[in-house]
Amino acid sequence: MPTPTLGTTQLLDRASARRPDAEWMRARRVSDASRFMILVDLKLVIAPGADRTSGEIRWLSLREVEALALNTEDALFLGLDVQGHAYFAIAIADHLARATPDVVQYFRPAVDLRTLAMQGVLTPEDQSLAGQARALAQWHENARCCGKCGSATKVKDGGWRRKCWACGAEWFPRTDPVVIMLVTDGERCILAHEHRYVAKMYSTLAGFIEHGEDIEHAVRREVGEETGIRVGRVEYHASQPWPFPHSLMIGCIAHAETTDLKVDTTELADARWFSREEVRAMLENRHPDGLTAPGRHAIANILLRHFVGES
């Protein structure tokens, strides 16, 4: 089955059983063999290729990190390579990066990961590893204070846990489940244009799962709310980690029992039925009206390719 180019990385062993060992983690942080990815305001620092159309993650050595006076105590552990060398991410604010004399050499260019994924600048493995780091870093931005007592929390387990210094409450990185569904009547599918999309791009419907909901109910509720379509059978298809900010996209095929659209224009700018030929034209960037679909970095693309029979 095809998978999105922004997905789950296979490059590193997450070594989750070793992360609670503070001494083991400290040894990895101070090892000359360890490497550090830099995120500046959650944007990835890359090393561009000679043609400027490709690139790779810009990894810093421990010596470079220390020379830049970056804090490694709160570095986010990403995993170990096959040689047992550790890889980390360090997230800093842009104003701190700009205050560094070597800002251009070490912190530029810093590019939004969504842009990199859409343009295919990085390899799928680099995209996915950067996605893991970005999602974890953004969770830390939002978990600096204890949700129970309001005091400051401290980074533990290489970034995979935070603990409140005052009340001792522990907090773990969260993942928000989102259903994303291709709604079909057998011959056509519903695609929507959201207000935030670039002009003429249409995609599948999606929405967050609410407390007390299963996947099937969330699919039926979201489709009904946004388009007025009643959905019967719901089939799970595939999933994708989505680091904007830290979601799990649960891809489904939703079988419509009605066909009359009643679009909620507060949620969607437009929604309509598309034939297989229209969808195929959108995927191949040859739709007569210039309509486009999400790229291969997104699970919506996988759902659409399944609909037209490519998988």
Side-chain angles (χ1 to χ4, degrees):
M1 181 185 297
T3 57
T5 57
L6 178 56
T8 303
T9 177
Q10 303 296 322
L11 282 177
L12 303 177
D13 174 4
R14 297 189 180 210
S16 56
R18 305 301 303 272
R19 296 191 303 229
D21 186 336
E23 285 303 310
W24 182 88
M25 189 61 68
R26 191 194 71 80
R28 304 287 84 71
R29 287 199 306 268
V30 301
S31 170
D32 289 335
S34 296
R35 292 294 179 265
F36 298 82
M37 173 198 305
I38 306 300
L39 298 170
V40 178
D41 278 355
L42 298 178
K43 297 178 180 179
L44 177 68
V45 177
I46 66 169
D51 59 359
R52 311 294 291 185
T53 63
S54 63
E56 58 186 15
I57 297 171
R58 171 77 159 92
W59 293 104
L60 300 186
S61 67
L62 177 65
R63 185 170 300 179
E64 289 172 314
V65 166
E66 291 177 336
L68 293 166
L70 296 177
N71 175 26
T72 61
E73 290 296 313
D74 292 346
L76 309 177
F77 176 69
L78 302 176
L80 305 172
D81 65 15
V82 293
Q83 286 81 34
H85 302 152
Y87 289 77
F88 294 85
I90 297 178
I92 63 174
D94 186 59
H95 71 273
L96 295 178
R98 286 187 280 107
T100 303
D102 296 319
V103 58
V104 175
Q105 180 180 356
Y106 291 107
F107 300 142
R108 297 291 188 266
V111 188
D112 176 66
L113 181 59
R114 192 192 298 264
T115 300
L116 293 171
M118 291 175 65
Q119 295 178 350
V121 174
L122 304 176
T123 66
E125 286 291 352
D126 270 6
Q127 285 181 180
S128 301
L129 185 57
Q132 175 188 339
R134 188 195 187 283
L136 188 57
Q138 184 145 28
W139 175 77
H140 280 278
E141 279 194 359
N142 299 330
R144 293 173 180 172
C145 295
C146 177
K148 184 176 180 180
C149 75
S151 300
T153 58
K154 295 183 178 181
V155 176
K156 301 290 183 180
D157 300 357
W160 294 92
R161 177 169 64 97
R162 293 186 75 103
K163 186 173 182 178
C164 177
W165 73 271
C167 72
E170 295 182 319
W171 304 94
F172 297 88
R174 60 177 291 177
T175 296
D176 300 320
V178 178
V179 286
I180 179 167
M181 45 278 180
L182 184 135
V183 182
T184 177
D185 65 357
E187 297 299 325
R188 303 173 299 169
C189 72
I190 296 174
L191 299 181
H193 178 76
E194 294 191 15
H195 298 284
R196 61 186 175 87
Y197 285 172
V198 296
K200 296 190 176 183
M201 191 188 85
Y202 279 71
S203 185
T204 53
L205 302 176
F208 287 98
I209 297 179
E210 296 184 347
H211 290 289
E213 276 192 319
D214 54 33
I215 293 171
E216 293 82 0
H217 185 274
V219 168
R220 295 185 183 108
R221 176 183 55 78
E222 284 288 342
V223 173
E225 290 174 354
E226 295 186 352
T227 67
I229 296 296
R230 186 173 70 246
V231 166
R233 184 160 50 98
V234 175
E235 302 171 8
Y236 169 78
H237 184 74
S239 63
Q240 176 192 23
W242 188 246
F244 308 109
H246 34 64
S247 298
L248 177 65
M249 308 299 288
I250 303 169
C252 298
I253 307 298
H255 296 269
E257 295 183 337
T258 58
T259 58
D260 291 336
L261 289 167
K262 298 177 182 178
V263 180
D264 179 357
T265 54
T266 61
E267 292 285 335
L268 305 174
D270 184 34
R272 64 181 85 164
W273 289 100
F274 289 85
S275 68
R276 282 190 172 83
E277 180 51 42
E278 285 183 288
V279 173
R280 189 175 290 108
M282 292 164 70
L283 291 169
E284 297 172 357
N285 291 314
R286 57 176 181 81
H287 192 279
D289 296 328
L291 304 184
T292 62
R296 291 181 180 269
H297 65 288
I299 193 173
N301 182 279
I302 304 302
L303 293 172
L304 292 173
R305 291 186 183 279
H306 172 76
F307 176 68
V308 300
E310 288 192 15
S311 60

